[in-house]
């Protein structure tokens, strides 16, 4: 079975600073994917970034980067130059269980960006 | 862009009622999912469907059923609503079986059972 752990229920960051949201995972599947989603207060889930288990380089998408450390089973999200609009819930999720097709989600981290 | 549309943003129902939550996607995706989101628990899978009339139980199927009569539509049914089913419900869809496909979500339905 797959498991995602997000140990930070809430985080604060000053505007324009960088912040790292932690995610660790556990799986016995040899091939898997790791995702980060953003959920603003309005409720929609916005896909941010993806990392494949065999990808050699860390994924980046604009101000988002994924710090993937396979041996440590961690997939932390780094947001550079935080903006007020980054205030939201952030979920780490993984795929890979071939019989499941769904994502396994962590419990989320609420990020608040302060001016 | 993929569009996943859930029929209601907010819904209030009474205990014992039969409740239908509807979800429609416009990208011909094979796979559709229903998740439930509760504070501190993240998103938990209720049911998913990988084809018309096909369904698989997720992690918390008790008290729910689903219907997929057409490829674009996936319905979640609360057979006899109970107060512990008050939650945020999210529908998602994705194409194929590759593990690198992000799921596309609807805006969610905040359901209150009184």
């Amino acid at each position: 079975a797959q498991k995602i752990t997000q140990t930070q229920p809430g985080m604060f960051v000053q505007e324009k600073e960088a912040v790292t949201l932690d995610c660790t995972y556990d799986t016995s599947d040899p091939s898997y994917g790791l995702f980060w989603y953003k959920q603003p207060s309005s409720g929609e889930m916005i896909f941010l970034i993806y990392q494949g288990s065999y990808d050699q380089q860390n994924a980046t998408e604009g101000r988002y980067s994924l710090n993937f450390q396979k041996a440590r089973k961690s997939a932390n999200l780094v947001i550079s130059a935080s903006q007020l609009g980054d205030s939201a819930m952030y979920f780490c999720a993984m795929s890979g269980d071939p019989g499941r097709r769904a994502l396994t989600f962590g419990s989320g981290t609420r990020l608040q960006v302060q001016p | 862009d993929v569009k996943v549309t859930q029929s209601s943003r907010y819904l209030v129902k009474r205990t014992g009622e039969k409740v239908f939550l509807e979800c429609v996607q416009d990208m011909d995706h094979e796979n559709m999912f229903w998740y439930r989101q509760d504070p501190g628990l993240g998103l938990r899978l209720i049911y998913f469907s990988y084809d018309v009339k096909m369904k698989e139980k997720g992690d918390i199927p008790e008290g729910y059923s689903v219907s997929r009569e057409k490829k674009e539509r996936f319905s979640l049914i609360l057979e006899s609503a109970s107060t512990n089913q008050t939650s945020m419900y999210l529908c998602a869809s994705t194409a194929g079986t590759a593990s690198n496909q992000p799921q596309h979500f609807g805006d969610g339905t905040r359901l209150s059972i009184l």
Side-chain angles (χ1 to χ4, degrees):
Chain A
Q2 298 176 330
K3 185 176 181 181
I4 293 281
T5 302
Q6 294 181 255
T7 57
Q8 305 156 315
M11 290 278 288
F12 288 91
V13 66
Q14 291 293 125
E15 198 176 5
K16 300 180 184 177
E17 291 186 352
V19 62
T20 298
L21 306 184
D22 294 341
C23 173
T24 58
Y25 62 90
D26 192 21
T27 182
S28 57
D29 299 309
S31 176
Y32 51 89
L34 294 153
F35 301 80
W36 277 92
Y37 283 84
K38 173 184 178 181
Q39 187 183 44
S41 57
S42 50
E44 72 272 27
M45 294 284 282
I46 302 167
F47 165 67
L48 295 178
I49 195 166
Y50 166 82
Q51 178 84 42
S53 58
Y54 292 116
D55 293 343
Q56 295 297 312
Q57 292 191 321
N58 286 342
T60 60
E61 289 287 348
R63 293 186 299 111
Y64 305 108
S65 60
L66 200 152
N67 184 1
F68 181 48
Q69 298 187 46
K70 194 170 183 177
R72 299 181 63 179
K73 293 190 175 180
S74 74
N76 299 338
L77 177 70
V78 181
I79 305 175
S80 63
S82 297
Q83 302 172 356
L84 295 178
D86 294 334
S87 294
M89 281 289 288
Y90 288 82
F91 291 98
C92 181
M94 74 181 303
S95 63
D97 184 339
R100 179 177 168 88
R101 302 197 190 192
L103 296 176
T104 300
F105 284 84
S107 56
T109 296
R110 181 170 297 282
L111 177 66
Q112 294 189 54
V113 180
Q114 296 176 320
Chain B
D1 260 2
V2 176
K3 185 69 175 176
V4 179
T5 303
Q6 293 183 229
S7 53
S8 304
R9 291 298 301 273
Y10 300 92
L11 205 54
V12 180
K13 296 291 183 180
R14 295 204 174 274
T15 304
E17 280 192 67
K18 190 170 186 176
V19 181
F20 293 85
L21 302 183
E22 307 286 347
C23 176
V24 177
Q25 51 94 4
D26 66 357
M27 282 301 290
D28 203 37
H29 284 170
E30 296 88 346
N31 308 302
M32 295 188 75
F33 310 85
W34 276 106
Y35 294 91
R36 170 178 170 160
Q37 181 182 357
D38 299 289
L41 298 178
L43 279 71
R44 294 178 292 167
L45 181 69
I46 305 172
Y47 268 96
F48 74 95
S49 169
Y50 54 89
D51 202 350
V52 175
K53 298 190 185 295
M54 306 303 289
K55 60 186 179 185
E56 293 283 344
K57 292 181 179 179
D59 302 318
I60 50 165
E62 296 79 17
Y64 303 95
S65 62
V66 290
S67 172
R68 193 162 181 205
E69 297 296 318
K70 294 184 177 181
K71 193 173 185 179
E72 67 270 19
R73 185 179 298 270
F74 192 35
S75 302
L76 179 69
I77 304 155
L78 285 66
E79 298 290 345
S80 177
S82 64
T83 55
N84 63 12
Q85 292 178 309
T86 292
S87 187
M88 171 75 143
Y89 291 86
L90 288 155
C91 175
S93 73
T94 190
T97 59
S99 62
N100 63 349
Q101 295 294 316
Q103 294 191 359
H104 302 270
F105 284 83
D107 289 343
T109 296
R110 296 184 190 272
L111 175 64
S112 295
I113 306 296
L114 304 178

